[in-house]
Amino acid sequence: MTFADGFDGTLAPGTSPAVVSVDLMRAYFDPQSPLCLPEKQFLDTAAQVLESARANGVPVLHTRVSYGPDGADGGVFIHKIPALRLLIGDSELGRIMPEVAPQDGETVLVKQYASAFFGTDLASLLHTWGVDTVVIVGTSTSGCIRASAVDAVQHGFIPIVVADAVGDRDETVHGGSLYDLQAKYAEIWQSPAVLEYFSASGT
């Protein structure tokens, strides 16, 4: 990637990372779901990132979306994207995919909006654990991944978005979002570099 002057800065990763696995739910992989994405290769890569994090003592957190009765806690967001009504209550489509399922002791945060930070305890948990770098995998690149990365940097964390472990409904949208995130808010890494980083950070 090449960037204009003034948008070519970089952030050095810290020594205390955590992984946030964003909304890797069945809704994005079930062909019968209107939210289904065109490919799932990034899900397998996300699973590798989680496996490496666990092996190296890096905390892993998960998010999923769920709404209360009538979706009232979804505000105008659930009206803008009517497909989100499929995530009202304990929906099967809201369950995290088995490839990236939480292990015992891992935190699962339930959210109603795009960012993993908005309306959740994520920032306070990460600060309590002394985390300085947030490695982000999940879906979708232009929505929840972007929003979470922006909020991460605004909360003082270094965001690393794993390019081959996030996905979107359209490759052009996906690529454009990664480009803009690198220019303004985050570092965009491929998974091999992330696995090497975890190994170096391992406890």
Side-chain angles (χ1 to χ4, degrees), residues 102-156:
Q103 294 192 352
D104 290 344
E106 292 180 351
T107 298
V108 180
L109 298 167
V110 178
K111 66 186 184 71
Q112 287 75 44
Y113 292 89
S115 172
F117 290 88
F118 186 82
T120 75
D121 295 328
L122 179 56
S124 60
L125 279 171
L126 296 175
H127 283 305
T128 297
W129 295 345
V131 169
D132 55 24
T133 303
V134 178
V135 176
I136 301 172
V137 303
T139 187
S140 65
T141 315
S142 60
C144 298
I145 300 303
R146 180 187 173 92
S148 298
V150 171
D151 273 359
V153 80
Q154 291 175 158
H155 280 285

Side-chain angles (χ1 to χ4, degrees), residues 3-12 181-188:
F3 300 93
D5 290 345
F7 290 92
D8 55 356
T10 59
L11 298 171
L181 281 167
Q182 176 65 59
K184 298 175 183 175
Y185 306 109
E187 294 301 308
I188 307 302

Side-chain angles (χ1 to χ4, degrees), residues 16-91:
S16 183
V19 175
V20 178
S21 178
V22 179
D23 298 355
L24 285 172
M25 306 175 299
R26 191 170 300 279
Y28 293 104
F29 303 98
D30 185 336
Q32 302 305 310
S33 167
L35 296 169
C36 187
L37 300 176
E39 61 90 16
K40 62 171 288 184
Q41 183 175 349
F42 74 95
L43 176 65
D44 297 328
T45 305
Q48 294 173 10
V49 171
L50 267 59
E51 181 181 5
S52 175
R54 292 162 177 152
N56 288 286
V58 174
V60 175
L61 303 92
H62 308 259
T63 72
R64 65 181 186 88
V65 177
S66 179
Y67 297 101
D70 298 324
D73 51 348
V76 296
F77 187 41
I78 204 169
H79 292 284
K80 178 63 177 175
I81 308 177
L84 292 175
R85 298 191 66 82
L86 294 171
L87 300 174
I88 291 175
D90 188 22
S91 165

Side-chain angles (χ1 to χ4, degrees), residues 41-43 45-46 49 161-166 174 178 189-192:
Q41 183 175 349
F42 74 95
L43 176 65
T45 305
V49 171
V161 175
V162 189
D164 52 340
V166 296
H174 170 75
L178 292 177
W189 288 14
Q190 296 291 329
S191 58

